[in-house]
């Protein structure tokens, strides 16, 4: 299963690298896109849940790394108002444009 990372720039200009066990995060986030903290929490949580579900289907167990990533994102987000803006600065690997 192809894994990936995505990078977030928080409102205080701090950066966080996040892990996903699946490229499905490309369905939820875009490089260069801005999201409110609330929207990012929702999108990243749904994407990481789907990624973990894909691991369960393939291997028979949830991905604990995806759960850890969700926890780290939630903990980082607590520092900011829900209407503050974050930016997705990178997604590795990028999807090829068709």
């Amino acid at each position: 299963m192809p894994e990936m990372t995505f990078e977030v720039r928080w409102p205080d200009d701090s950066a966080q690298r996040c892990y996903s066990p699946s490229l499905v995060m490309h369905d939820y986030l875009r490089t260069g896109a801005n999201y409110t903290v609330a929207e990012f929490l929702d999108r990243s949580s749904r994407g990481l849940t789907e990624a973990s579900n894909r691991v369960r289907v393939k291997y028979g167990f949830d991905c604990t790394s995806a759960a850890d990533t969700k926890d780290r994102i939630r903990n980082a987000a607590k520092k900011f108002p829900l209407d503050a803006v974050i930016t997705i600065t990178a997604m590795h690997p990028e999807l090829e444009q068709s």
Side-chain angles (χ1 to χ4, degrees):
M1 178 165 282
E3 57 189 20
M4 67 173 296
T5 60
F6 56 98
E7 296 173 20
V8 181
R9 185 174 60 235
W10 291 98
D12 64 357
D13 282 333
S14 64
Q16 181 178 13
R17 176 173 279 171
C18 303
Y19 170 83
S20 171
S22 168
L23 298 178
V24 73
M25 294 308 296
H26 286 286
D27 294 343
Y28 293 89
L29 304 171
R30 299 275 182 259
T31 301
N34 296 318
Y35 303 103
T36 64
V37 169
E39 185 177 17
F40 175 62
L41 285 168
D42 176 61
R43 287 174 172 268
S44 62
S45 179
R46 287 186 295 126
L48 289 164
T49 297
E50 185 174 338
S52 185
N53 289 343
R54 288 180 178 203
V55 170
R56 184 178 338 103
V57 167
K58 186 167 185 171
Y59 298 107
F61 53 85
D62 289 330
C63 178
T64 57
S65 294
D68 179 62
T69 298
K70 281 201 291 190
D71 287 344
R72 290 186 325 104
I73 288 171
R74 276 194 299 268
N75 286 334
K78 289 178 186 177
K79 302 175 199 168
F80 307 106
L82 292 176
D83 62 349
V85 176
I86 65 93
T87 302
I88 304 301
T89 57
M91 298 182 83
H92 304 284
E94 286 284 348
L95 288 182
E96 291 185 25
Q97 300 297 322
S98 46

